Amino acid sequence: MSLPSRPGTGLPLGSDGYPAAGGVARRPAGQEESARANRRWWDAAAPAYLAEHGTDLGDADFLWCPEGLREADAGLLGEVAGRRVVEIGCGSAPCARWLARQGAHVVALDLSGGMLARAADLNRATGTAVPLLQGDAGRLPLATASMDLACSAYGGLPFVADARAVLAEVARVLRPGGRFVASVNHPMRWPFPDSPDPEDLQITSSYFDRQPYVETDGAGRTVYVEHHRTVGDWVRAVVGAGLVLGDLVEPEWTAGRTQNWGQWSPERGALVPGTLILVCDKPG
């Protein structure tokens, strides 16, 4: 029996509404392969992803991570009112709309047309219309030194093959004295199975194996790519882009939060970190 596919993507969907993987491997995958696969995957997965996580993300809220840390409480970006901000990997753009409601001048960028279509719907539904751009994080369609702030909440960075190129682009579009804050999968999640159960916290692969996680369809075509970097890799990428690393935040699980999110859970979150947040400034 053939599986249904999302129109325009050609990707068969599983019973959960997400693209069905025919195979999984750890192997090299370059930037073009990663971008092409992930654009199609997110176009196909957008309805299922937002049906599962949309309530938690909100329509105009800034959630940094599955642990429940929100910008309203953390203030990692500092003062945003009146600032020019680009959100990289905005998805349905709830963070961008939250920033706009705080008085920021925001542009929201994503690789996926499917996600941006939902963002446009929510712009209309909420009455908070932020400008939307479709583009690659490694080639930002923005002028040099045109932004005061840049942010990315699990958007783009885990899915690009060349994180240094993305950070160099971020540094280019930031004005001197600007700030970039990004949340990514904590590198410590990679050696463990993708399970929320703390009983599964057994090392099954090497922390130092930087080969990406790759899913393929039944014909062997790449449909999803996620890249792993160590903590040291992230630090070197930030410094190599000419940014100053001001903080590395490892959010603890928010008290009273009960939502599981993939391998993130209250039980697992009490034991090991699941998110790393990079707080970076451009000298000037």
Side-chain angles (χ1 to χ4, degrees):
M1 180 179 69
S2 62
L3 294 171
S5 63
R6 185 74 58 203
T9 67
L11 295 181
L13 303 179
S15 59
D16 58 0
Y18 287 94
V24 172
R26 295 289 296 274
R27 63 163 176 79
Q31 180 57 30
E32 291 303 319
E33 179 182 6
S34 298
R36 182 172 57 252
N38 287 326
R39 182 185 298 111
R40 291 177 66 214
W41 194 92
W42 283 105
D43 283 350
Y49 179 84
L50 294 173
E52 182 178 5
H53 300 298
T55 300
D56 200 17
L57 290 167
D59 295 339
D61 197 2
F62 200 132
L63 179 68
W64 278 114
C65 54
E67 287 84 357
L69 183 67
R70 284 177 156 78
E71 178 60 14
D73 300 315
L76 298 178
L77 290 168
E79 179 60 48
V80 300
R83 303 294 182 89
R84 297 162 297 171
V85 187
V86 57
E87 183 187 4
I88 299 169
C90 66
S92 59
C95 299
R97 280 186 290 275
W98 182 87
L99 288 165
R101 290 184 178 183
Q102 310 311 306
H105 306 294
V106 192
V107 173
L109 177 140
D110 203 276
L111 183 67
S112 166
M115 278 293 188
L116 289 174
R118 181 56 178 154
D121 290 341
L122 288 172
N123 274 354
R124 291 187 288 270
T126 62
T128 304
V130 297
L132 304 173
L133 288 176
Q134 185 170 14
D136 191 313
R139 295 187 292 271
L140 296 174
L142 299 167
T144 298
S146 60
M147 294 288 132
D148 299 304
L149 300 168
C151 58
S152 184
Y154 275 88
L157 285 175
F159 308 105
V160 297
D162 191 348
R164 292 193 178 203
V166 173
L167 288 166
E169 271 291 271
V170 170
R172 179 186 67 79
V173 304
L174 282 176
R175 64 163 178 78
R179 172 166 289 189
F180 175 51
V181 183
S183 58
V184 298
N185 305 323
H186 198 290
M188 276 299 298
R189 66 164 277 192
W190 281 83
F192 301 112
D194 192 8
S195 165
D197 189 343
E199 296 296 323
D200 292 331
L201 284 175
Q202 301 180 32
I203 293 175
T204 57
S205 63
S206 172
Y207 172 82
F208 301 104
D209 181 1
R210 294 167 174 84
Q211 293 187 98
Y213 168 87
V214 179
E215 292 182 0
T216 55
D217 63 13
R221 295 171 297 190
T222 305
V223 297
Y224 178 90
V225 184
E226 193 169 334
H227 292 266
H228 167 54
R229 297 169 182 95
T230 67
V231 173
D233 292 339
W234 282 119
V235 171
R236 284 185 288 274
V238 169
V239 173
L243 300 171
V244 175
L245 186 64
D247 200 358
L248 285 173
V249 181
E250 297 169 295
E252 297 186 41
W253 199 267
T254 300
R257 181 173 170 82
T258 60
Q259 293 93 329
N260 281 17
W261 191 315
Q263 69 171 242
W264 288 266
S265 68
E267 296 79 16
R268 184 164 175 166
L271 300 175
V272 294
T275 295
L276 184 68
I277 303 180
L278 309 163
V279 182
C280 319
D281 294 296
K282 182 175 178 177

